[in-house]
Amino acid sequence: MYDRYQPKDFENTMVALWQDKFVVDNNSDKPKFVMMMPPPNITGKLHMGHALNNTLQDSIARYKRMMGFNTLWLPGTDHASIATELKVVEQLKSQGIDKQSLGRDGFLQKCFDWKEQYSGNIIEQLKRLGCSVDWSRLAFTMDKNCNKAVRTVFVDLYNQGLIYKGQRIINWCVDCKTAISDAEVEYIENNGYIWHIKYPIDGGGHITIATTRPETMLGDTAVVVSPNDKRYKHLVGKYVVLPFIGRKIPILNDEYVDASFGTGAVKVTPAHDPNDFEIGKRLNLNSIKILTDDGKITGGTPYDGLERKSARDKIVEDLQALGLLDKVEEHHNSRGHCYRCNSVVEPMTSEQWFVKMQPLAEPAIQAVENGDTEFVPKSYSKIYMHWMKNIRDWCISRQLWWGHRIPAYYCNKCSNMCVSVDIVDKCDKCGGKMIQDEAVLDTWFSSALWPFSTLGFPDKTRDLSTFYPGSLLVTAYDIIFFWVARMMFSGLHHMGQVPFSKVLIHGIVRASDGRKMSKSLGNGVDPIDIIDNYGTDSLRFCLLSGVALGSDIRYSEERLQKAQAFCNKIYNAARFVKHNIGEMSIEEVCNNVVDKTTLTLADKWILSKLNDCIKSINQNFDSYEIGRVADTLYNFVWDDFCDWYIEISKVQMNVDKARASKVLLHVFDNILKLLHPIIPFITEYCCQELFDGKYILALQDFPKVDIFYNSEVDKFEHIRQLIVGIRAMRADNKIAQNIKVKMSIYGFDDFVRDMSQVVPIVCKLAMCSQVDILDKPIQEQKNIIKWNWSVGTVYMHLEMLDQSVVIKKLLDDKKSAEFELNLTKSKLNSVGFTSKAPQKLIKIEEEKVEKYTQIIQKLQLELEGHKIK
RNA sequence: GGAAGUUUAGCUCAGUUGGGAGAGCGUCUGUCUUACAAGCAGAGGGUCGGGGGUUCGAGCCCCUCAACUUCCACCA
């Protein structure tokens, strides 16, 4: 092993070592544990969110595997229809190529080329993160089988009346030139304006309406007012003549209108506003589309061909010129933006495909209500429920090329339309040529099938029957709607069972300033850069130790350094262990058996501590509190093992090296296993080094709780107290670390008389030249400092001693003991406490009174002794 | 408009059934004690956002106020 911890030296070797080790058998009789990896988009590279998500999953997968579960963690990537198409178009653009000029097939070929490259990158990055997945089952949302699953599901839902095609108002992105679903719209607050426009009334006068989108007036087909609004009662039934286009539209009543807002009169544009669309349906209004798919005005108006923003400016200008602009007010509102390209989304009517959600949502709500699927932490089930209960039909068609093409076919001669899993060429009615629907499906349509399409669905495969339903889904809270909800109803509907029994929700990784990492802010941190600089284990430990259920974590360089220091600590502990087992043969090392009859006090203490640690880790892994797993290990390894046990073992090596090194190896071996799920690389590397490549740590059993040596733990805690006490005495008296002191101890009972075994340990850890065990207390005061240990009196012998320092210390000690005594007494004097507090607590308080009274007496005696001299 | 979360040491955060507040970093002191100076030993530092309540006892439970954050809905 090298002198320093340099992860680059071995991390890639470990990746190669693990390569094919996590392929899972679908014929095993072990209990199963199944997780589907949320497939990263093939749009680029992994970000910190992926790093957190996959590190969490990996630690759980490794733990479950070591706990004896037949663990399938299935990896994959997502074709990310709209996002990838945008990227490819952009790439082509930079090469001077237009998407249309390539034609559909040519463009798709470019997309598949892109997929090859980026999917490969992502897989490499997942490997570097240490993901212990089954690479033999690697999936892609657009591979053959997933496509077959998509077609099957689409046809089934269509035949069940749960998919329909219809003219509805949808969100249209004029830049992506496609419909998008409600979930894909992000509302962003902005300071805009509200224009008050006078609409001339046929027959004289005018009515003023208020709007934030004046250009939509070209598509108005009515003006509505509240039926309770007296101001406009006389106008209802009359007609307004739309400026510029001269269309006559009625003034009508509708309950929707809030008389107190704006002018109380609302222009109605059914083709370009969801509320107006509803009003239009109620009042049987015409719907006039005034925008083209790329956001230009159309419909035979004077503004045809103008882009929407310039059309608005021109219309406002023209209204002003005509004296029809009453006023303009600043107005705070929010507008929908495309979550992919960020341009303002236009609501417009369009013929699209929809999934009827109500019937599908019902079982998905029940499944969470009755606990078939459980959210961790529970609070996230509320968000899920709220969305599911207020769900609207899902617009699933996208006017893109990259994606699953909708399996609907239209005859080019007659009006025949059919939906089919297999390609349909010929019209069965007129024999004409059938042409497939041009649109593709929303990415999430195929993602929704991920828990079973990856296992062979719709075919009844062995994998599907073995591994469905899954055990756990790990994902960030930001895709509960997009993905978790849709997997839930899809799994229930198509497989009859929930896709996973638990959903572990985690937060997002924020930048060091607490803001979201984003491209526009340029505050993103690339996990691969961190791996290059610090190593994967440091990144993993940093992320996991910061995880609290469901909450965000903040990236900080400091914490990364803390994680790196921890890895370094482990690395050096391994070097120490390796050095000390140098005389053992490799057979002895691999078959290391600890003789329990020869264990020392310290051995029994560390083994008991190890037990505590195992217990705590099991509990915290089972409740997915991975942050606590990391913290527990950090404290156990650094404090108990490194700072105490390794130092002690140096002394024990002098007594019986063969024996001491065996116990040391045993404990460290267990530590490596406990740490492995969290930081797999360094632990696997240490295992390879120590056991000469005989084992693969990732495939070993997780440590089990063994014998607790309770009384030895108590005894050792006294020794620890003693060492800490002596160190404090030294510090109080400003004795430098490199100066050894002479100590003697008078004990109250056999414990101290029997402690000769640990004297060398105390000498080493408390830097003493000698420690004498006395059979009676020392009365002499000169050049001696006393300390009241729980089981005796400890004396430190000094060459010279400043009496004033000693007296000050005694006074300070007395003062603090008196403070404690008073506090305790006042507690016991309270009737409420003694009558209502549990007996156990009262006893503790009573013992305290006794303890502090004694201490004060002793200190008083000593003080008097000093003052006499 | 509706909902959720956060507020604890200078900084970043733990604190699991209510029983005398913790870690890491930073600061100060001492130390290169041969696994580790990316270390070791010690010290200092907090009226747990404000107010009220329940309780013998509240960082933890209830009410209220404030600040910040997020999600959902969205009025032309």
Side-chain angles (χ1 to χ4, degrees), chain A residues 540-583:
Chain A
R540 290 174 61 118
F541 191 83
C542 175
L543 291 171
L544 294 183
S545 69
V547 167
L549 280 184
S551 59
D552 291 344
I553 71 174
R554 197 183 285 206
Y555 169 78
S556 92
E557 192 101 16
E558 272 181 14
R559 293 192 351 152
L560 202 49
Q561 281 162 1
K562 173 186 170 179
Q564 191 189 27
F566 184 51
C567 292
N568 181 59
K569 194 75 182 168
I570 294 159
Y571 185 85
N572 280 294
R575 286 178 60 213
F576 179 80
V577 174
K578 189 175 163 92
H579 179 255
N580 280 287
I581 59 173
E583 286 163 22

Side-chain angles (χ1 to χ4, degrees), chain A residues 389-401:
Chain A
K389 287 180 177 171
N390 293 284
I391 201 158
R392 287 188 287 180
D393 285 358
W394 174 18
C395 175
I396 50 170
S397 43
R398 299 289 180 273
Q399 285 58 51
L400 302 166
W401 284 349

Side-chain angles (χ1 to χ4, degrees), chain A residues 41-56:
Chain A
N41 289 348
I42 54 163
T43 44
K45 51 188 180 179
L46 298 187
H47 52 65
M48 285 298 270
H50 292 116
L52 172 61
N53 179 249
N54 286 296
T55 302
L56 272 168

Side-chain angles (χ1 to χ4, degrees), chain A residues 510-760:
Chain A
R510 294 181 172 278
S512 51
D513 58 4
R515 290 193 293 181
K516 260 189 180 177
M517 284 187 180
S518 75
K519 275 193 195 122
S520 55
L521 287 170
N523 60 354
V525 178
D526 184 345
I528 299 301
D529 285 347
I530 296 176
I531 290 174
D532 287 339
N533 292 323
Y534 292 88
T536 304
D537 287 327
S538 296
L539 172 63
R540 290 174 61 118
F541 191 83
C542 175
L543 291 171
L544 294 183
S545 69
V547 167
L549 280 184
S551 59
D552 291 344
I553 71 174
R554 197 183 285 206
Y555 169 78
S556 92
E557 192 101 16
E558 272 181 14
R559 293 192 351 152
L560 202 49
Q561 281 162 1
K562 173 186 170 179
Q564 191 189 27
F566 184 51
C567 292
N568 181 59
K569 194 75 182 168
I570 294 159
Y571 185 85
N572 280 294
R575 286 178 60 213
F576 179 80
V577 174
K578 189 175 163 92
H579 179 255
N580 280 287
I581 59 173
E583 286 163 22
M584 292 163 74
S585 71
I586 192 65
E587 284 72 30
E588 265 185 297
V589 170
C590 291
N591 302 308
N592 184 38
V593 180
V594 171
D595 178 0
K596 284 179 178 157
T597 61
T598 64
L599 294 175
T600 65
L601 186 65
D603 293 339
K604 288 179 177 175
W605 169 78
I606 194 71
L607 289 170
S608 301
K609 282 281 183 181
L610 177 69
N611 279 339
D612 284 335
C613 191
I614 295 168
K615 220 172 134 184
S616 157
I617 288 170
N618 284 332
Q619 276 171 9
N620 286 320
F621 255 122
D622 291 344
S623 55
Y624 304 107
E625 291 274 17
I626 316 293
R628 286 184 191 161
V629 171
D631 287 347
T632 304
L633 282 166
Y634 183 90
N635 292 324
F636 173 68
V637 172
W638 201 309
D639 298 343
D640 293 335
F641 184 69
C642 290
D643 288 348
W644 285 93
Y645 190 72
I646 283 189
E647 290 308 312
I648 289 165
S649 78
K650 286 176 185 171
V651 179
Q652 298 196 144
M653 294 289 173
N654 294 332
V655 179
D656 181 348
K657 181 150 187 175
R659 198 206 67 79
S661 51
K662 276 188 171 185
V663 187
L664 179 71
L665 177 65
H666 171 75
V667 175
F668 190 67
D669 177 30
N670 276 291
I671 285 175
L672 288 179
K673 288 171 181 164
L674 294 175
L675 284 168
H676 184 74
I678 305 280
I679 41 175
F681 289 94
I682 189 171
T683 48
E684 184 72 81
Y685 171 69
C686 291
C687 173
Q688 297 304 310
E689 284 291 321
L690 290 175
F691 301 104
D692 206 27
K694 291 279 195 294
Y695 303 121
I696 288 178
L697 186 61
L699 305 178
Q700 299 303 300
D701 288 342
F702 205 68
K704 289 184 178 61
V705 174
D706 201 351
I707 306 168
F708 277 97
Y709 300 97
N710 289 323
S711 75
E712 282 83 356
V713 169
D714 288 346
K715 282 182 188 167
F716 188 80
E717 287 305 328
H718 283 306
I719 301 301
R720 248 180 19 143
Q721 225 180 64
L722 173 66
I723 291 164
V724 170
I726 297 174
R727 285 170 178 170
M729 287 168 87
R730 301 171 53 104
D732 284 342
N733 292 282
K734 308 222 182 313
I735 297 164
Q737 304 285 310
N738 52 0
I739 293 169
K740 294 193 168 179
V741 292
K742 186 184 166 212
M743 306 294 301
S744 37
I745 302 171
Y746 166 71
F748 304 148
D749 55 29
D750 290 346
F751 173 65
V752 177
R753 282 187 279 280
D754 293 345
M755 67 178 264
S756 59
Q757 240 199 18
V758 297
V759 163

